[in-house]
Amino acid sequence: MAKEEDWWTSPTESESGKLIMVTGRRDVDLFMSNPKFNIRIEITWKYDGDASGMPDKTTSETMEKVQDALQTMFIKDPVAVLTGIYTGDNERNWVYYTLSTHIFGRKLNEALSEFALLPIEIYAENDPEWNEYREMKEISEIDRGD
């Protein structure tokens, strides 16, 4: 696992025309090349956003604390890697790739145990080709003009 993570951020639009800030991780080759990391997990937090669909300050700060707790957990025990974060249009989505939904769930619960019940939904799907990650990267490169 890389000691320093390499991230980029790019704006895009939702289907409804609202701003979505996409943050993606570049240094994922080690994980992509490991066939065990073939399950994509998406954690979605829906919120009541401002007129532009972005979270208020309090919600945003709590989301950052949640993200920090998850990052700390998965750095300590690298059974999952955060590859993308989508914020806007009244929701935040964290996208992880993992080797086990069971282990991921256990680590997720452990990382979030200090928080009150959070309004999150969790979705898992097999994605051995990392199609979601590749699509996110392609769309963001188009938006940035790369």
Side-chain angles (χ1 to χ4, degrees):
M1 180 171 192
K3 290 185 176 156
E4 286 194 35
E5 299 169 357
D6 184 12
W7 295 87
W8 49 263
T9 299
S10 177
T12 191
E13 286 186 359
S14 67
E15 291 179 11
S16 66
K18 299 249 183 179
L19 173 68
I20 304 284
M21 293 304 297
V22 180
T23 302
R25 184 169 169 177
R26 286 189 183 95
D27 61 331
V28 297
D29 293 341
L30 179 65
F31 296 97
M32 286 179 77
S33 65
N34 183 339
K36 291 181 180 179
F37 282 84
N38 63 3
I39 303 166
R40 184 180 75 246
I41 295 184
E42 298 177 15
I43 302 172
T44 302
W45 180 327
K46 294 182 180 179
Y47 56 82
D48 292 324
D50 61 18
S52 67
M54 291 295 172
D56 62 36
K57 184 176 179 171
T58 302
T59 303
S60 181
E61 288 172 349
T62 303
M63 288 176 174
E64 292 306 312
K65 289 176 184 173
V66 165
Q67 184 172 317
D68 289 346
L70 291 170
Q71 284 297 86
T72 299
M73 176 60 66
F74 292 122
I75 287 170
K76 184 174 72 174
D77 192 358
V79 298
V81 59
L82 177 63
T83 60
I85 306 161
Y86 300 80
T87 305
D89 203 10
N90 300 310
E91 66 181 43
R92 175 171 286 182
N93 293 288
W94 290 279
V95 180
Y96 285 87
Y97 281 83
T98 187
L99 47 86
S100 165
T101 54
H102 175 73
I103 295 170
F104 183 90
R106 191 166 37 93
K107 295 296 180 182
L108 175 78
N109 287 331
E110 188 177 331
L112 301 182
S113 64
E114 67 183 74
F115 297 94
L117 185 62
L118 298 168
I120 60 173
E121 298 172 7
I122 302 168
Y123 170 81
E125 178 178 299
N126 289 328
D127 187 4
E129 300 299 319
W130 286 55
N131 291 325
E132 190 283 335
Y133 176 80
R134 293 174 197 280
E135 181 179 315
M136 172 193 63
K137 193 171 175 189
E138 182 179 304
I139 288 170
S140 294
E141 287 171 352
I142 291 167
D143 288 345
R144 288 191 326 248
D146 291 352

